[in-house]
Structures are given as C-alpha cells and as structure tokens.
Amino acid sequence: MAESVQITTKENAAKIVVDGNEISDVLEYELKENGQGAVLTLRVLVKGDINANL
C-alpha cells in the first residue's frame, strides 16, 4: 500500500511519484477512488528481462 501519490501532467506526459519514488516511462495510468481509498493502475512497457519473486 502506498501512503502518497502525486500525478502531474505537462505537455502530454505524466510525472508520477509514489511514496517519493518517481516512476518513469508510464504509457498509461488510471486512478479510481472508492469508499476505501484510491487504486492507481500503471502500464509500463518492459523490453528486457522480467524477474518476479512471488
């Protein structure tokens, strides 16, 4: 869970900062709010390796 999210749009580009960490090269984002809080969904293109430890 994140404590803070900052979204700034400028010249068709979004700057997204989650808990002080900037997330770059976001292709698309969606922010939905409900009674429990907000959900931020990001789409980022991954060209290289993916390592997931589940």
Side-chain angles (χ1 to χ4, degrees):
M1 293 170 65
E3 292 294 323
S4 67
V5 174
Q6 179 183 19
I7 301 173
T8 308
T9 57
K10 184 178 177 183
E11 299 177 10
N12 296 330
K15 178 181 177 182
I16 299 176
V17 179
V18 178
D19 289 344
N21 299 298
E22 184 174 353
I23 301 171
S24 59
D25 300 323
V26 174
L27 299 175
E28 183 178 310
Y29 71 91
E30 179 180 35
L31 180 63
K32 290 185 179 182
E33 295 184 69
N34 59 31
Q36 296 177 324
V39 175
L40 176 63
T41 304
L42 305 174
R43 288 185 51 160
V44 178
L45 178 64
V46 179
K47 289 185 176 181
D49 294 334
I50 297 174
N51 183 0
N53 295 317
L54 305 173

